Amino acid sequence: MSGSSSTGKGHPVKGGRTQAMEFSRTRYTARAQRRNKAATFGFYTLGFLVMLLIFWMLFTILAKGLPALSFDFLIKQPEEIDPGGGIGPVLFNSFYILFISLLISVPIGIGAGIYMAEYAPDNAFTGALRICVESLSSVPSIVFGLLGLAIFAEYFDVGLTILGGGVSLALLNLPMLARVTEEAVRAVPGEIREAGYALGMTKFHVIRKVVLPVALSAIITGVCLVAGRAFGESAVIILTAGLSTSGEMWDFNLFSPGETLAVHLWYVQSEAIVEDARQIADKSAAVLVFVVLLINLAFRLPLWFGKRRQGH
Amino acid sequence: MGSPVHNLTSRAKGNAVAVSASPKRHSRHLLSNTLFRYYFLFSILALCLVLGLVILFIGKTALLLFGQISPLDFFFSFNWTPEEEAFGAAAFIVNTLSLTALTLLIAVPVSVGMAVLCAEIAPKWMKNFIRPVLDLLVGIPSIVYGYLGLTVLLPFLRRASGEGLGDGLLAAALVLALMVLPTICRISDDAIVSVPRKYRDAAYALGSTRLQVIFRVVLPAAKRGIISAVILGMTRAVGETMAVVMVIGNTPQLAKTLFTPSSVLTSNIVMQISNVEFDSTWNYALHMMAFLLLLISFMLILVIRILGRKRREV
């Protein structure tokens, strides 16, 4: 233990160098420090490799598909036999089904989240509700597909439809929406609620005018995450909306078959006989990933800028 | 609004409305307060109703199976040839379990390593880079993972192993490992970050290196959180369908090697459900497999809850 001058300089977190000079170098500490350095190097290498893998993956998908992409491809009909088919109706169906599913799941999911955060008393009933939400969020998507199939194809006997796909997808989204809303609402500080109550506001008025505006950006972020996931969901849609389209571009009929882009990627890859199936699959995958990234990022950008303006 | 409003100046309007029109407005607020309380309660009950529907619809059809074949045949026979009325699902069950185990074997060291890097080692700018990128990974559709597995991973495995096809458990496990990585990593990350700083300070004060602090203090303290993360990853791996379907080979047999084309519960359901009649033993058997998936997921959630309760007690 010599040279106490450098004791205060380096926090041990920074690494072993300062320590090494301070303490007499026994064989044990030397070995421990060598290992420490090797492990630090190892962790960084691991991180680097994983990041590399992720970016390579994104690059592979986008680079294969995007350069070959034309506007034509995005609006043309898919072809069964001739090459040169597009993805017009399936892309439209993707957005249409996403829209229907959000229309159903967002009000209920946010309502459920607000109940769990604001109203739920701390008792056994709430415990049971919480188990329900957690169990529901663990249900595999294929099971929701079977449920949709049982309800729409068997019970109501309407076959594979856009409506069935949208509703089944909404059921899949519900628990995640409830969870993100609950977290967002819980993160709102209690003082500002109390300020609202002190002004004589009712509970709902406080939620609508005080809590929700504060929690809004977190809720929107959550909804975007859910929407991105729903846009790429395929197992549910295959079972409930089918593997075909009605063959028209702007088909708003809720009871037409509703193949989406994700399902189309599967169909082209596994069953299609057109000779340019590989190119279509590449381009579809690129469009799919691009839209999902867009949903995830674009909706959040204004929020980021908003935050920055407020000086956070 | 109330009648006295018209003779007020615009400056005072806001205040005056609140005071003068208050009885009407107040009752409206009370009404909406009550209505929306019921609406929020209705929403959460709707969620429970959905869970009930899932269990009811899947379970009802699934249990019809045991009116037709014996549970022993279903659970312990490896013979799945629906055309000859043989519905033994043992191969799918074993494959699902071994696929999940293999996935975790690959994913857990990598994810926990990434979590340690994020929470303990990396400088701030690197954390702020890695965490959003991992979030990005969650958003990528499973079908795209499957497609990449099919077009990039399988040719690579074929070249590396010399196998003819390359599909099977290993390919599926590699794809799944990448898919559960962000799940396990982010939750373990949170668990590690929430370990109190004083534990680390105490260990450093005793002269530990960072590696020793990580492995002897931080990871044991964050153990329960990390196990919860791993189990959540498991639920995702067990229930994943489309990514697995594209790389596992879809042959109803037991996966004896890493490269045997085989099938798991989810992939078998999605491949066969559209070919079967609703009132057939085949359909009942597929529903029973879905019901099994449901039971496995519920069991895993139960384990997480128990772990969470213990963590709060400690």
Side-chain angles (χ1 to χ4, degrees), chain B residues 104-249:
Chain B
L104 291 182
L105 202 67
I106 302 167
V108 169
V110 178
S111 327
V112 176
M114 287 294 287
V116 168
L117 178 69
C118 265
E120 294 284 309
I121 298 176
K124 201 163 178 224
W125 64 266
M126 199 186 272
K127 292 179 193 180
N128 289 341
F129 177 71
I130 294 180
R131 287 180 181 151
V133 170
L134 287 177
D135 286 345
L136 215 70
L137 204 57
V138 183
I140 295 180
S142 60
I143 190 92
V144 173
Y145 281 104
Y147 180 65
L148 270 186
L150 190 73
T151 53
V152 181
L153 181 66
L154 285 188
F156 172 76
L157 283 179
R158 250 173 256 158
R159 245 178 300 142
S161 68
E163 295 278 337
L165 287 168
D167 37 14
L169 278 194
L170 183 64
L174 285 171
V175 172
L176 277 183
L178 189 60
M179 294 182 69
V180 300
L181 186 139
T183 310
I184 302 181
C185 183
R186 286 311 302 272
I187 302 172
S188 312
D189 189 353
D190 290 344
I192 293 174
V193 168
S194 67
V195 171
R197 194 184 157 78
K198 56 187 178 190
Y199 290 11
R200 295 183 186 93
D201 289 344
Y204 281 127
L206 291 173
S208 310
T209 62
R210 186 163 60 193
L211 181 68
Q212 288 166 334
V213 172
I214 289 170
F215 275 96
R216 298 189 190 171
V217 177
V218 174
L219 286 185
K223 195 175 62 189
R224 284 187 201 285
I226 295 176
I227 295 176
S228 298
V230 172
I231 295 174
L232 268 181
M234 266 172 94
T235 59
R236 203 170 169 202
V238 169
E240 181 49 53
T241 313
M242 297 317 289
V244 175
V245 159
M246 293 184 103
V247 294
I248 201 164

Side-chain angles (χ1 to χ4, degrees), chain B residues 60-133:
Chain B
K60 199 184 63 183
T61 317
L63 288 177
L64 288 175
L65 176 73
F66 295 145
Q68 312 222 349
I69 66 169
S70 88
L72 281 179
D73 278 348
F74 181 77
F75 287 111
F76 296 107
S77 159
F78 286 91
N79 182 12
W80 176 271
T81 22
E83 296 82 4
E84 295 163 22
E85 298 291 307
F87 297 101
F92 303 122
I93 298 170
V94 175
N95 285 349
T96 297
L97 297 180
S98 45
L99 176 60
T100 309
L102 191 61
T103 303
L104 291 182
L105 202 67
I106 302 167
V108 169
V110 178
S111 327
V112 176
M114 287 294 287
V116 168
L117 178 69
C118 265
E120 294 284 309
I121 298 176
K124 201 163 178 224
W125 64 266
M126 199 186 272
K127 292 179 193 180
N128 289 341
F129 177 71
I130 294 180
R131 287 180 181 151
V133 170

Side-chain angles (χ1 to χ4, degrees), chain A residues 107-146:
Chain A
I108 299 182
I110 289 184
I114 290 176
Y115 180 85
M116 291 310 276
E118 291 281 329
Y119 289 89
D122 191 12
N123 58 19
F125 176 65
T126 304
L129 291 180
R130 203 168 288 282
I131 293 180
C132 269
V133 176
E134 279 175 22
S135 309
L136 197 63
S137 65
S138 79
V139 171
S141 59
I142 180 92
V143 175
F144 281 106
L146 284 179

Side-chain angles (χ1 to χ4, degrees), chain A residues 13 36 39-40 43-44 56-57 61 107-108 112 115 119 132 134 138 146 154 204-205 234 239 266 269 282 292, chain B residues 29 33 36-37 39-41 43 48 121 123 139 144 147-148 150 152 178 210-211 242 245 273 278 290 305:
Chain A
V13 181
N36 183 35
T40 304
F43 278 119
Y44 275 116
W56 169 83
M57 201 177 80
I61 302 169
I108 299 182
Y115 180 85
Y119 289 89
C132 269
E134 279 175 22
S138 79
L146 284 179
E154 287 305 319
F204 171 66
H205 205 196
S234 40
L239 296 192
W266 155 254
Q269 186 53 49
D282 278 343
V292 169
Chain B
H29 276 167
N33 189 34
F36 272 91
R37 204 182 72 218
Y39 170 71
F40 293 138
L41 185 62
S43 304
C48 297
I121 298 176
V144 173
Y147 180 65
L148 270 186
L150 190 73
V152 181
L178 189 60
R210 186 163 60 193
L211 181 68
M242 297 317 289
V245 159
I273 192 75
F278 190 75
R305 278 196 75 84

